[in-house]
Structures are given as structure tokens and as C-alpha cells.
Amino acid sequence: QVQLVESGGRLMQAGGSLRLSCTASGSTFGIGTMGWFRQPPGMEHEFVAAITWGGSNTYYTDSVKGRFTISRDNAKNTVYLQMNSLKPEDTALYYCAVSRLLMTSTYSRRDNYNYWGQGTQVTVSS
């Protein structure tokens, strides 16, 4: 089992920057990919970004490319999501997820992730 705890979400103004963190504990050996998803109010979950654990491949959904950066600190079992130039449409509950798979093409599929955090709320006002 892997436990995930997200932090960093809060109320922001448009144009601001925010960094989310997600720390993994438990059976962290064998993590292949860590990802961030979000669920805007009244909408389905959507993929945001992912990073492979052993390497340095990163992936982003088109709407956040150039604004968000995913990174990891293996020593701390932590993945970060740096969010810049925030927009009201970034408002969502942000979830961290872990997959045992090392994904290079299916990283946006929710069902490829084995463990999920409880989420951290990001609200961006205009």
C-alpha cells in the first residue's frame, strides 16, 4: 500500500503562483509514475501532469503546458506541481496519484493509477 498526502491548495487570485506537494509513504519501492489530476466543480476528473519516477519524463495536458511544472524529489518521496499564471478555470480539487507502471503513453488514464490522495482544493478568483 502507498499513502499519499497532498498539501498546498488555497484561494488564489488569477495570475498568481502556487506549489502543490504530494508525499508518498508506505510501499514506495516500485513506483513507476506519479501524476496529478483535478476535478473542477461539477465536472469529471481530468489529467493534469505526470512524471516518471526513475527517469525524468514529464507529461502535461495542453491547457497547463507552459504554466505548470511537475517535479519530484525521490529522497523525500515527494512530487510537486508548480502552478504559475493561474486562471479561474484552474479551480478544482487536485489529486495526486501513483502508478506501479512506468508509463510513456497511457499516463492520462485514471485506471492506470493504483493509489490516490484525498485531494487539495485550489480556488482561483478573477
Side-chain angles (χ1 to χ4, degrees):
Q1 292 289 323
V2 176
Q3 293 79 44
L4 301 170
V5 178
E6 303 101 331
S7 62
R10 62 187 182 97
L11 175 63
M12 296 290 296
Q13 289 200 338
S17 296
L18 189 65
R19 189 177 79 162
L20 304 183
S21 300
C22 173
T23 300
S25 61
S27 301
T28 58
F29 178 81
I31 290 177
T33 305
M34 289 191 76
W36 286 96
F37 288 75
R38 65 186 181 186
Q39 186 175 23
M43 298 177 66
E44 296 293 321
H45 286 80
E46 60 184 22
F47 168 76
V48 177
I51 186 167
T52 54
W53 201 241
S56 59
N57 295 338
T58 58
Y59 310 98
Y60 300 92
T61 192
D62 286 345
S63 62
V64 308
K65 284 180 181 177
R67 299 190 299 123
F68 291 10
T69 302
I70 189 170
S71 61
R72 56 168 170 70
D73 184 333
N74 287 10
K76 296 181 179 180
N77 287 331
T78 298
V79 65
Y80 304 98
L81 186 67
Q82 177 67 43
M83 304 186 294
N84 299 329
S85 303
L86 284 164
K87 302 176 180 180
E89 50 263 44
D90 294 320
T91 294
L93 187 60
Y94 282 73
Y95 295 91
C96 173
V98 159
S99 174
R100 296 294 189 189
L101 302 173
L102 182 65
M103 295 184 283
T104 59
S105 63
T106 57
Y107 42 81
S108 63
R109 290 183 54 178
R110 289 189 63 209
D111 57 3
N112 282 340
Y113 290 82
N114 308 101
Y115 305 100
W116 293 80
Q118 293 299 306
T120 185
Q121 179 68 39
V122 175
T123 303
V124 183
S125 63
S126 58

